[in-house]
Amino acid sequence: MQSSYFTGVTTSNGVMQHDFTVGEVTGALWSSKRAECAPLVLMGHGGGNHKKSPAMLGRAQRLVVDGGFHVACIDAPGHGDRPRTAHDEQEIAALREALETGEPVGPIVVRYNAHLAERAVPEWRAALDFLQGVEWVGDEDPVGYFGLNMGTAIGVPLTAVEPRIKAAVFGLHWPEALAEYARQITVPIEYTLQWDDEHIPRESGLALFDAFASEEKTLHANSGGHKELPRFESDSAVRFFVRQLVRPSIPQPDLVW
Amino acid sequence: MQSSYFTGVTTSNGVMQHDFTVGEVTGALWSSKRAECAPLVLMGHGGGNHKKSPAMLGRAQRLVVDGGFHVACIDAPGHGDRPRTAHDEQEIAALREALETGEPVGPIVVRYNAHLAERAVPEWRAALDFLQGVEWVGDEDPVGYFGLNMGTAIGVPLTAVEPRIKAAVFGLHWPEALAEYARQITVPIEYTLQWDDEHIPRESGLALFDAFASEEKTLHANSGGHKELPRFESDSAVRFFVRQLVRPSIPQPDLVW
């Protein structure tokens, strides 16, 4: 049994942030001050980033305030408050070199992220066990997953094996290591890609979206390069989770389409 | 000079509906009861439909109530309150036969809709002249266009030549007669297609989206067949027009992605 506990709490803009540790994994849980039972959304951060990066804090704020969710993020292996292995250092150096010399980064990212996913998937499942044991989170509400870039590389294999995850937002990755897992996923998904991505070929992004076995899936493709994802996509993700996790069974009005 | 005038007014759920006629063209204008100046969104209805079909009434309601827009729709040639020509009857018969025998409808729809667009584009421009002369609409706010299916077949050539249209939502059509016009369009667009469309090949929909010269464009592709467009896409269209026409210059918050 891993040792799991809270390590601190702060409050900002009406959102409580509880830091926690599950074994060697560091994480944060965000909740409304009211702290009532609500679905939990797990967020996977991007490569080179961490659980409290600006993107994660911004999304957590929106999910808690606009969607009423509990939100959690854990540091991926070798990220944030967690130490890097020699293998991590090696792969990061290879990635930096490719970016500097203009070589394609795809093969390195695909390979390194697949390695990280093998380590991260059991960590997420243990973190979810811990989080569902928290009194004000509970285990009765459905769980969502929201992660782009490396957050998708970890989230797709996680969602393929974790039946507690009932809806997911993914995006911005290659199909090579993920399509096989995507074919095992049947929960509703929203997938984001950049139409002019300089790293991920358009056909690759479309192929990964196509691979999901989900009956209900939506692709959002925006003009612009890899790092130019429009900010309104974060609002879209919040609405997706509200539709899927909070009120999936409310009938829609008749007179629309 | 064409004779243009209002023919009646009704109010429902806080939305005023003014019927109007511009030459031989019949239309409707929806406005908030408050009737203050606001951007105008033109709606193009689908083939075989008309200006007050349930889809048009539903979208008008959302655009007026949720977005604060003025909204107008005119009957396409041979649709709604307008007479059919012998040519219209011929093409509709050809389309019915193709649907019954299982022949591809694409070539007929593309050809017939291109013919209707030639007639409808000048009609829309005259209607827009009339609408901008209406005291509570005015000509100082930007104009949007929202039309799927045949509404796209008419709206793409219209937007290509009409500089008053500053943003548009299109979708669900073939590129053959439209890609050339799309390459002349530079205003922001949102384009919708169905990933499993039984009439429009996936590659065709993606090719039309790709053809738009707009720096800012978004593709929404949803799982399901031609007629299974999810209703939440109408809310997405309202938000798109709010972003583009009502507050295009409000800076976005920093901490999101």
Side-chain angles (χ1 to χ4, degrees), chain A residues 164-184:
Chain A
R164 289 175 287 186
I165 296 176
K166 304 298 189 195
V169 175
F170 298 126
L172 300 171
H173 221 281
W174 293 257
E176 281 76 4
L178 298 179
E180 197 53 42
Y181 292 107
R183 279 189 272 274
Q184 302 166 39

Side-chain angles (χ1 to χ4, degrees), chain A residues 54-59 62 146 148 190 195-196 202-203 206 209-210 214-224 229-237 239 243-244 251-257, chain B residues 54-59 62 146 148 190 195-196 202-203 206 209-210 214-224 229-237 239 243-244 251-257:
Chain A
M56 293 301 104
L57 293 176
R59 291 182 208 171
R62 288 184 179 213
F146 181 8
L148 309 178
E190 186 164 286
W195 197 244
D196 312 294
R202 190 179 292 170
E203 291 311 315
L206 293 172
F209 172 68
D210 196 41
S214 315
E215 194 180 324
E216 201 177 327
K217 60 183 181 179
T218 300
L219 172 72
H220 286 184
N222 286 284
S223 51
L229 187 70
R231 285 167 181 159
F232 55 73
E233 289 296 347
S234 65
D235 294 316
S236 179
R239 285 189 300 272
R243 282 200 306 275
Q244 298 298 344
Q252 295 186 298
D254 253 0
L255 294 182
V256 185
W257 287 106
Chain B
M56 293 301 105
L57 293 176
R59 290 181 208 172
R62 288 183 179 214
F146 180 8
L148 309 177
E190 186 164 286
W195 197 244
D196 312 294
R202 190 179 292 170
E203 291 311 315
L206 293 172
F209 172 69
D210 196 41
S214 316
E215 194 180 325
E216 200 176 329
K217 59 183 181 179
T218 300
L219 173 72
H220 286 184
N222 286 285
S223 51
L229 186 69
R231 286 167 180 159
F232 55 72
E233 289 295 348
S234 65
D235 296 316
S236 178
R239 284 189 301 271
R243 282 200 307 274
Q244 298 298 343
Q252 295 186 298
D254 253 0
L255 294 181
V256 184
W257 288 106

Side-chain angles (χ1 to χ4, degrees), chain B:
Chain B
M1 185 67 190
Q2 289 179 313
S3 167
S4 308
Y5 48 91
F6 285 113
T7 56
V9 59
T10 54
T11 299
S12 170
N13 294 326
V15 176
M16 290 190 304
Q17 174 183 283
H18 285 86
D19 295 314
F20 64 84
T21 294
V22 176
E24 295 173 356
V25 177
T26 44
L29 169 66
W30 295 273
S31 301
S32 150
K33 261 186 174 169
R34 288 169 299 150
E36 53 196 16
C37 278
L40 170 67
V41 176
L42 312 176
M43 298 192 309
H45 63 75
N49 238 313
H50 61 84
K51 64 183 178 304
K52 293 182 187 170
S53 62
M56 293 301 105
L57 293 176
R59 290 181 208 172
Q61 175 85 17
R62 288 183 179 214
L63 285 161
V64 171
V65 174
D66 299 345
F69 297 106
H70 299 294
V71 181
C73 185
I74 59 174
D75 285 323
H79 287 72
D81 295 324
R82 304 183 59 192
R84 287 182 184 169
T85 64
H87 181 72
D88 291 329
E89 298 286 5
Q90 208 175 350
E91 291 289 54
I92 291 161
L95 186 58
R96 281 211 184 113
E97 196 183 320
L99 282 170
E100 275 166 25
T101 60
E103 293 292 303
V105 299
I108 302 164
V109 175
V110 167
R111 169 184 83 205
Y112 181 44
N113 282 5
H115 164 78
L116 291 177
E118 275 184 42
R119 294 156 66 187
V121 167
E123 293 174 353
W124 259 124
R125 303 191 78 177
L128 185 50
D129 292 343
F130 166 69
L131 292 163
Q132 290 196 321
V134 173
E135 188 192 346
W136 71 87
V137 176
D139 61 2
E140 297 197 351
D141 284 291
V143 175
Y145 181 92
F146 180 8
L148 309 177
N149 295 297
M150 191 182 75
T152 283
I154 290 171
V156 170
L158 172 65
T159 303
V161 298
E162 178 49 73
R164 289 174 287 186
I165 297 176
K166 305 298 190 194
V169 175
F170 298 126
L172 299 172
H173 221 281
W174 293 257
E176 281 76 5
L178 298 180
E180 198 53 43
Y181 293 107
R183 280 189 272 273
Q184 302 166 38
I185 292 176
T186 57
V187 298
I189 67 138
E190 186 164 286
Y191 192 90
T192 297
L193 64 80
Q194 287 296 93
W195 197 244
D196 312 294
D197 196 310
E198 66 277 27
H199 297 305
I200 306 174
R202 190 179 292 170
E203 291 311 315
S204 295
L206 293 172
L208 180 50
F209 172 69
D210 196 41
F212 288 95
S214 316
E215 194 180 325
E216 200 176 329
K217 59 183 181 179
T218 300
L219 173 72
H220 286 184
N222 286 285
S223 51
H226 187 72
K227 295 197 170 174
E228 295 181 302
L229 186 69
R231 286 167 180 159
F232 55 72
E233 289 295 348
S234 65
D235 296 316
S236 178
V238 174
R239 284 189 301 271
F240 170 81
F241 287 120
V242 168
R243 282 200 307 274
Q244 298 298 343
L245 304 180
V246 180
R247 43 177 195 202
S249 62
I250 290 179
Q252 295 186 298
D254 253 0
L255 294 181
V256 184
W257 288 106

